[in-house]
């Protein structure tokens, strides 16, 4: 059954142990994230930020505690339904050696790609103007193996456009604007906030 996300995400008494080292990464974390809001998680390296994000993404199962979405507990049975609502932009964007269109609409057969949606997502990520004016083949440009023809900031903005293509209910950025200058970062974040669903 599909998961509905219209009210909140609630992490209740979440703890996580790494089984190999028995190291405690998270201890009794209780956190509410209302729908339509933005949240920043900061902390020292190794403080458990990525572990917390991985639990929200359903990539890790908490050692103790539960993850709830609109009062429904996320389990192995409904985890994939929850993940269909998520957009995730990791620290390092992995691009395929294919066109920019295919990289933004990643996983969609080329004959089924909505070109207008690709353009719109690229505009939100502030990469459309670069593609349209700087690249001779524009959106048909091949990015090179792992995106080697693009700068770090350009790869990050392609990654953001990719995450937006499937119209997620929740977008998670894991230091996904670290390669952008502060002015571009602000433009991208503001555009994302205008685009995402509101409560």
């Amino acid at each position: 059954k599909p998961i509905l996300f219209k009210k909140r995400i609630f992490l209740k008494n979440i703890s996580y142990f790494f089984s190999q080292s028995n190291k405690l990464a998270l201890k009794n974390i209780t956190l509410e994230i209302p729908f339509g809001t933005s949240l920043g998680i900061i902390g020292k390296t190794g403080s458990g930020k990525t572990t917390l994000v991985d639990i929200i993404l359903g990539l890790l199962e908490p050692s103790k505690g539960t993850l709830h979405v609109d009062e429904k507990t996320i389990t192995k049975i409904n985890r994939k339904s929850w993940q269909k609502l998520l957009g995730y932009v990791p620290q390092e964007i992995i691009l395929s050696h294919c066109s920019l269109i295919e990289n933004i609409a990643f996983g969609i057969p080329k004959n089924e790609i909505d070109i207008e949606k690709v353009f719109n997502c690229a505009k939100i990520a502030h990469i459309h103007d670069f593609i349209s004016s700087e690249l001779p083949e524009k959106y048909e440009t091949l990015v090179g193996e792992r995106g080697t023809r693009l700068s770090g900031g350009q790869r990050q903005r392609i990654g953001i456009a990719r995450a937006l293509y499937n119209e997620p209910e929740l977008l998670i950025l894991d230091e996904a604007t670290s390669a952008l200058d502060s002015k571009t970062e602000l433009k991208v974040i503001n555009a994302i906030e205008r685009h995402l669903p509101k409560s």
Side-chain angles (χ1 to χ4, degrees):
K1 294 181 180 180
I3 297 290
L4 295 179
F5 175 36
K6 297 298 178 186
K7 297 177 182 177
R8 67 172 187 166
I9 300 167
F10 184 57
L11 293 92
K12 184 177 181 182
N13 297 326
I14 295 287
S15 295
Y16 186 80
F17 294 88
F18 287 107
S19 56
Q20 298 90 343
S21 61
N22 205 29
K23 179 186 175 185
L24 182 64
L26 298 171
K27 182 179 180 182
N28 296 332
I29 301 293
T30 295
L31 175 66
E32 180 177 344
I33 307 172
F35 179 85
T37 62
S38 297
L39 172 71
I41 300 173
I42 60 173
K44 296 178 180 178
T45 300
S47 60
K49 302 186 298 298
T50 299
T51 303
L52 182 64
V53 166
D54 285 347
I55 287 172
I56 294 172
L57 289 169
L59 301 176
L60 291 177
E61 192 171 342
S63 304
K64 294 181 181 178
T66 47
L67 170 65
H68 306 269
V69 177
D70 285 8
E71 317 311 324
K72 183 170 285 189
T73 305
I74 302 302
T75 65
K76 290 180 180 179
I77 295 171
N78 60 16
R79 186 180 299 151
K80 286 189 177 180
S81 294
W82 166 234
Q83 289 171 333
K84 287 179 181 178
L85 303 182
L86 306 179
Y88 175 58
V89 188
Q91 294 180 36
E92 185 175 345
I93 306 300
I94 304 299
L95 300 180
S96 296
H97 184 46
C98 55
S99 70
L100 286 166
I101 289 177
E102 293 167 285
N103 269 288
I104 292 174
F106 192 70
I108 307 295
K110 194 167 184 180
N111 62 334
E112 297 178 18
I113 292 174
D114 184 333
I115 301 299
E116 287 303 315
K117 188 188 284 190
V118 169
F119 293 167
N120 188 47
C121 293
K123 288 174 183 176
I124 295 168
H126 282 268
I127 192 70
H128 175 76
D129 289 345
F130 166 77
I131 295 170
S132 300
S133 60
E134 301 290 330
L135 299 178
E137 296 179 63
K138 302 183 177 8
Y139 281 86
E140 291 295 338
T141 300
L142 299 178
V143 300
E145 198 65 42
R146 298 176 66 87
T148 52
R149 295 181 182 175
L150 301 173
S151 71
Q154 290 159 355
R155 287 196 298 272
Q156 285 190 331
R157 283 178 282 172
I158 294 296
I160 292 169
R162 174 192 287 173
L164 292 171
Y165 183 84
N166 290 316
E167 301 177 349
E169 295 291 319
L170 173 68
L171 180 65
I172 296 178
L173 308 175
D174 187 357
E175 297 186 33
T177 58
S178 59
L180 304 182
D181 61 82
S182 57
K183 187 176 180 181
T184 303
E185 180 182 34
L186 184 60
K187 286 180 179 178
V188 170
I189 295 300
N190 286 341
I192 289 171
E193 288 191 343
R194 288 194 298 270
H195 174 77
L196 288 176
K198 301 292 188 293
S199 56

